[in-house]
Amino acid sequence: MKLKSLRYSQHEGRPNTWRVNGLTFDEINLLVGKNASGKTRTLNVINGLAGLLSQDSPLKYISGDYEVVFEDGHKLLTYSLKYSDQIVTSEEFAIDGKKFLERGAEGIGKIYAVKENKWIEFQTPPNRLASAARRDSIQHPYFESLFQWGNDLRFFAFVTSMGKDHLALIVKEGAPISFNPKDPNQVAGVYRRGYTKLGQPFKQNIIKDMATVGYEIEDVGLAPPLSIQVAPEIQIQGEMVALYVKERTLLPMIYQHEMSQGMFRVLSMIIHLNYAVMDSRPSCILVDDIGEGLDFDRSCQLIKLLIEKATHTSVQLIMATNDRFIMNAVPLESWSLLRREGGDCRVYNYRNSKKIFDDFKFTGLNNFDFLAVDFVGEAGEANASD
């Protein structure tokens, strides 16, 4: 299942109101915009929705208003949610226009029971989502797609350590003691799970992809780091291991804490993406500040690799950047340009502003200039004067 469109607002009617409109998505998506235009915040909104749909727990956020459309095969799933002061005021779900859930204030609503072939009344705690609390594979199986999308979504902030300072503990049976593929810091555990489940092809794909980005390695794996010692008073329930790579031009292995931050970010991203693609999980992968800290060649090669691996797979890729190298490497057809005025964030892309994007191609400028010269703003002013 893939995200097709999103409209979101929060704190409606208050001085700190924030809205984003016009967000539509394809397989490959790049959010661009000037600083403080809303790129990271938009990714956080999507990630927050995934958390809401995949966990039957009380609301953590103050307010929110979502209108979301998903594509599940040939079906369109529409989901809307409104809540204020951590209390749900409205929630609806429909498939191809046919409603299956209507829920209002105080958690009271009606829901369609598939096995009984009728609508039934219900009441859910007002601070919890009915789509999560009423999950039932017999009576309400239509909620499973929402749950799986939220559960499988991954969010990576490329400017962080991406797990460089997190090792893994392996028990005697050879499995990580804790494994959460949603946690980008657990990249060592993800590698272990991927290699155990997918075998040598998983490792070979990582080696090949690292070479594509400019890191020539001949081996990758997990081993106890020789230069790290645990204090005697600390009791470890298992074997501590770290990721390592063996470069073609260097004799010793390089452990994760010895790698450059750029190299490890690339390695971590490649491990996570290969696990998602090869395991055929219908994942939505969010990457903020993609390519940050990499040189020109490697940032361009990384973005081309990610696009190639995600295209025509079960993975939907949504990235954000301010990097001109990344912008120039991603076709304008995959762009969503965010422009913010006060609390309103407007989105321009090839699907809602085709003429503006096509007109820019005739200028002969590179993609980055579309943002740098504010071509959207100039086009709007030109249209207003005609």
Side-chain angles (χ1 to χ4, degrees):
M1 186 167 79
K2 295 187 177 180
L3 182 62
K4 295 299 293 180
S5 66
L6 168 68
R7 186 204 61 76
Y8 175 80
S9 65
Q10 63 185 38
H11 306 305
E12 285 285 355
R14 302 176 184 177
N16 58 340
T17 297
W18 188 79
R19 306 181 190 90
V20 58
N21 294 294
L23 265 173
T24 57
F25 302 94
D26 280 330
E27 282 184 318
I28 309 299
N29 308 271
L30 183 69
L31 306 184
V32 303
K34 296 181 179 180
N35 288 336
S37 60
K39 301 183 298 298
T40 297
R41 194 168 187 174
T42 298
L43 292 183
N44 285 331
V45 165
I46 299 171
N47 188 47
L49 175 64
L52 292 173
L53 293 175
S54 63
Q55 299 180 32
D56 179 16
S57 59
L59 290 168
K60 302 176 183 177
Y61 312 106
I62 300 299
S63 74
D65 183 349
Y66 289 92
E67 287 185 10
V68 193
V69 177
F70 298 96
E71 185 178 62
D72 190 9
H74 297 292
K75 298 178 181 179
L76 288 180
L77 281 57
T78 305
Y79 179 76
S80 65
L81 170 69
K82 294 182 181 181
Y83 61 94
S84 180
D85 297 323
Q86 298 180 310
I87 299 297
V88 176
T89 58
S90 175
E91 185 180 11
E92 294 186 357
F93 176 70
I95 301 176
D96 290 335
K98 179 182 177 181
K99 285 189 178 181
F100 287 84
L101 169 68
E102 292 182 355
R103 177 261 188 93
E106 300 182 0
I108 298 173
K110 60 180 183 176
I111 189 171
Y112 186 75
V114 172
K115 188 173 183 180
E116 298 181 18
N117 192 27
K118 67 177 184 180
W119 286 87
I120 59 175
E121 295 181 345
F122 73 94
Q123 184 171 18
T124 297
N127 63 344
R128 295 167 74 173
L129 272 61
S131 54
R134 304 290 299 190
R135 277 184 64 216
D136 182 335
S137 59
I138 296 177
Q139 293 286 18
H140 318 303
Y142 39 81
F143 287 143
E144 285 303 306
S145 293
L146 294 178
F147 169 79
Q148 287 299 332
W149 177 84
N151 191 58
D152 290 337
L153 182 139
R154 306 287 183 263
F155 184 22
F156 305 100
F158 203 77
V159 294
T160 65
S161 67
M162 294 284 286
K164 188 173 185 287
D165 51 358
H166 287 68
L167 306 183
L169 289 175
I170 307 297
V171 296
K172 291 183 179 180
E173 291 76 13
I177 289 179
S178 64
F179 177 71
N180 177 12
K182 292 178 71 71
D183 183 357
N185 288 321
Q186 291 195 22
V187 59
V190 171
Y191 176 84
R192 176 68 188 186
R193 180 64 60 90
Y195 185 72
T196 300
K197 189 174 184 180
L198 303 167
Q200 197 67 17
F202 178 69
K203 172 187 278 196
Q204 292 304 317
N205 274 357
I206 293 171
I207 293 174
K208 182 177 110 176
D209 291 345
M210 288 290 285
T212 298
V213 183
Y215 295 105
E216 295 287 343
I217 65 173
E218 59 185 23
D219 193 19
V220 59
L222 293 169
L226 300 179
S227 59
I228 295 180
Q229 292 184 342
V230 179
E233 63 273 15
I234 298 177
Q235 299 296 318
I236 295 182
Q237 304 299 318
E239 181 183 28
M240 184 175 67
V241 295
L243 281 164
Y244 71 83
V245 296
K246 171 70 172 63
E247 291 186 298
R248 297 185 188 280
T249 57
L250 294 177
L251 184 61
M253 297 185 298
I254 304 175
Y255 289 91
Q256 63 185 66
H257 60 282
E258 301 167 328
M259 298 180 200
S260 69
Q261 186 63 66
M263 182 182 193
F264 189 82
R265 286 173 182 170
V266 172
L267 176 63
S268 179
M269 192 75 255
I270 285 174
I271 288 173
H272 281 288
L273 186 60
N274 271 289
Y275 182 69
V277 171
M278 295 182 68
D279 198 37
S280 298
R281 301 192 69 86
S283 306
C284 180
I285 294 182
L286 313 177
V287 189
D288 196 15
D289 291 311
I290 181 65
E292 186 70 23
L294 299 180
D295 57 51
F296 170 79
D297 288 334
R298 287 190 169 122
S299 63
C300 292
Q301 290 303 324
L302 175 63
I303 201 70
K304 290 178 181 178
L305 173 68
L306 297 183
I307 291 174
E308 177 185 337
K309 294 191 78 68
T311 300
H312 304 309
T313 70
S314 61
V315 171
Q316 183 178 32
L317 193 59
I318 304 175
M319 305 169 288
T321 190
N322 257 346
D323 189 303
R324 69 164 61 213
F325 304 140
I326 297 296
M327 293 184 201
N328 288 334
V330 177
L332 286 174
E333 287 80 359
S334 296
W335 277 37
S336 283
L337 173 64
L338 278 62
R339 298 181 82 233
R340 184 173 69 87
E341 295 183 6
D344 287 304
C345 185
R346 177 73 189 274
V347 180
Y348 297 85
N349 55 38
Y350 205 79
R351 294 171 288 284
N352 63 25
S353 306
K354 185 176 184 298
K355 185 178 185 306
I356 294 177
F357 280 77
D358 284 341
D359 288 347
F360 176 77
K361 291 180 180 179
F362 289 111
T363 66
L365 300 173
N366 60 41
N367 290 0
F368 175 74
D369 291 322
F370 187 82
L371 171 66
V373 303
D374 191 19
F375 193 81
V376 166
E378 290 187 355
E381 292 175 4
N383 290 336
S385 62
D386 288 342

